[in-house]
Amino acid sequence: QQQVKQSPQSLIVQKGGISIINCAYENTAFDYFPWYQQFPGKGPALLIAIRPDVSEKKEGRFTISFNKSAKQFSLHIMDSQPGDSATYFCAASRASGSARQLTFGSGTQLTVLP
Amino acid sequence: GAVVSQHPSWVICKSGTSVKIECRSLDFQATTMFWYRQFPKQSLMLMATSNEGSKATYEQGVEKDKFLINHASLTLSTLTVTSAHPEDSSFYICSARQGASYGYTFGSGTRLTVV
């Protein structure tokens, strides 16, 4: 019930293309859905986040699409660049308790070819 | 923006010794800090959650006597790996929550190698 399923495991995109990563969740108590970018040997960095009362959020080249009824959300990276090559994690936070732990997806290794 | 400083970035220690990893929130008060472990090409695995001034809450399967967590102030949490063994070698990452907001800020991680 706490799982967040992420796909694909790896993704190769040409420079200038669109990268799409998908996540699905089961727990309807989740109310915060962030995406993180992680480079090798570094901690995750927040890219963009969405709450379930919004169906889409865009920040620069990054867009989250959220489908509450399907319990799915996705990250779209427009005009992908070689510098975007990294591992991307979706996550979800549940509203129970004071800790609000993040549950992470399994990660997607994105490679953008020059 | 919020910054979490984690030290050291990497550490090599001998089997049987203890290692302490520090996590500091530099410009905000972190009421809650989280400690994760990450194996190569895998996701982050939550080890424990700590609230300032309280005992940490450990996830199932995490040995609390091996991974000692202290959150004595609103800006500092430490993870001590006691009697480290090669199987404890991993990438450890802390995260701090900015009070009632939704934000989680991550440290830069610590690569622990036990030889």
Side-chain angles (χ1 to χ4, degrees):
Chain A
Q1 182 137 3
Q2 298 297 326
Q3 279 188 325
V4 177
K5 295 181 179 179
Q6 183 172 346
S7 64
Q9 185 177 357
S10 62
L11 180 62
I12 300 175
V13 174
Q14 292 285 344
K15 178 182 176 181
I18 302 174
S19 303
I20 301 174
I21 305 171
N22 301 298
C23 283
Y25 63 97
E26 298 175 354
N27 190 344
T28 54
F30 287 146
D31 67 348
Y32 175 66
F33 302 89
W35 284 90
Y36 290 90
Q37 179 188 58
Q38 186 181 30
F39 292 104
K42 301 294 183 183
L46 179 66
L47 265 181
I48 186 171
I50 198 168
R51 295 183 62 180
D53 53 349
V54 177
S55 61
E56 185 176 282
K57 183 175 181 180
K58 182 177 181 179
E59 291 185 359
R61 297 185 294 111
F62 302 95
T63 300
I64 296 180
S65 296
F66 186 83
N67 186 329
K68 188 175 181 178
S69 60
K71 292 187 285 187
Q72 295 176 347
F73 58 110
S74 60
L75 174 69
H76 295 225
I77 305 175
M78 311 299 288
D79 186 26
S80 299
Q81 299 297 312
D84 296 331
S85 297
T87 301
Y88 292 81
F89 293 97
C90 63
S93 175
R94 51 191 170 91
S96 60
S98 60
R100 299 184 63 90
Q101 299 142 309
L102 281 170
T103 299
F104 282 89
S106 54
T108 296
Q109 186 165 352
L110 172 65
T111 302
V112 181
L113 301 176
Chain B
V3 177
V4 171
S5 176
Q6 184 173 345
H7 292 281
S9 298
W10 59 269
V11 57
I12 301 174
C13 71
K14 291 185 177 180
S15 185
T17 62
S18 296
V19 173
K20 180 183 286 188
I21 302 170
E22 288 192 352
C23 183
R24 292 180 183 273
S25 56
L26 298 187
D27 49 3
F28 65 98
Q29 293 185 330
T31 54
T32 306
M33 286 193 173
F34 306 89
W35 287 94
Y36 296 86
R37 184 173 182 177
Q38 186 178 34
F39 292 104
K41 299 190 183 300
Q42 293 190 21
S43 189
L44 285 76
M45 180 183 72
L46 180 66
M47 298 174 66
T49 302
S50 71
N51 292 297
E52 184 265 337
S54 303
K55 288 185 178 180
T57 301
Y58 290 81
E59 295 300 300
Q60 190 173 6
V62 176
E63 299 176 59
K64 58 182 67 177
D65 293 332
K66 166 167 277 296
F67 299 101
L68 300 179
I69 292 172
N70 184 282
H71 191 170
S73 77
L74 285 170
T75 60
L76 174 64
S77 178
T78 59
L79 167 67
T80 302
V81 183
T82 63
S83 186
H85 288 92
E87 57 265 31
D88 299 324
S89 298
S90 190
F91 192 55
Y92 293 88
I93 309 170
C94 68
S95 173
R97 178 178 169 232
Q98 303 174 64
S101 77
Y102 288 97
Y104 299 80
T105 304
F106 285 82
S108 55
T110 297
R111 172 73 58 193
L112 170 63
T113 302
V114 185
V115 297

